[in-house]
Amino acid sequence: RLYESRHFTLDRETNRKGRRFYRISLWNTGPMEYSEVEQVRDILDPLRNRAGKTAYNWKFSNLKEAEERYTMLLLRWA
């Protein structure tokens, strides 16, 4: 786990071939309303082609992009 906040985590994971990828997870949706969850999805995956329409986890191959998106989420929901 690289970063963790009240609602989100940024993890570094490795697949079977040894290639690293980064996952942003929305793990605490308790105080969030559905419209806020949709706003999170709009920030992380506006076209809904990275993880689907009802995703709570998003994979990124680039650490820089993952950190930028994670920072955007923290600025909004921290």
Side-chain angles (χ1 to χ4, degrees):
R1 181 158 294 176
L2 297 175
Y3 303 106
E4 182 176 338
S5 68
R6 195 169 102 196
H7 299 291
F8 310 103
T9 61
L10 176 60
D11 299 320
R12 179 176 64 199
E13 300 179 18
T14 307
N15 65 8
R16 290 181 185 175
K17 295 181 179 180
R19 188 169 178 191
R20 289 184 181 165
F21 64 93
Y22 304 91
R23 182 184 309 268
I24 296 176
S25 301
L26 174 62
W27 64 275
N28 183 10
T29 60
M32 297 179 87
E33 296 181 8
Y34 181 75
S35 62
E36 291 178 319
V37 174
E38 283 296 312
Q39 290 175 1
V40 169
R41 291 182 183 131
D42 288 339
I43 290 172
L44 293 173
D45 190 14
L47 299 177
R48 305 291 195 267
N49 58 359
R50 187 178 295 269
K53 292 183 179 183
T54 60
Y56 287 92
N57 298 304
W58 295 269
K59 288 171 63 174
F60 296 89
S61 58
N62 186 355
L63 176 61
K64 183 179 177 183
E65 181 183 3
E67 284 180 336
E68 287 174 357
R69 301 283 175 98
Y70 185 78
T71 304
M72 289 172 52
L73 292 173
L74 289 182
L75 290 174
R76 172 66 173 91
W77 283 280

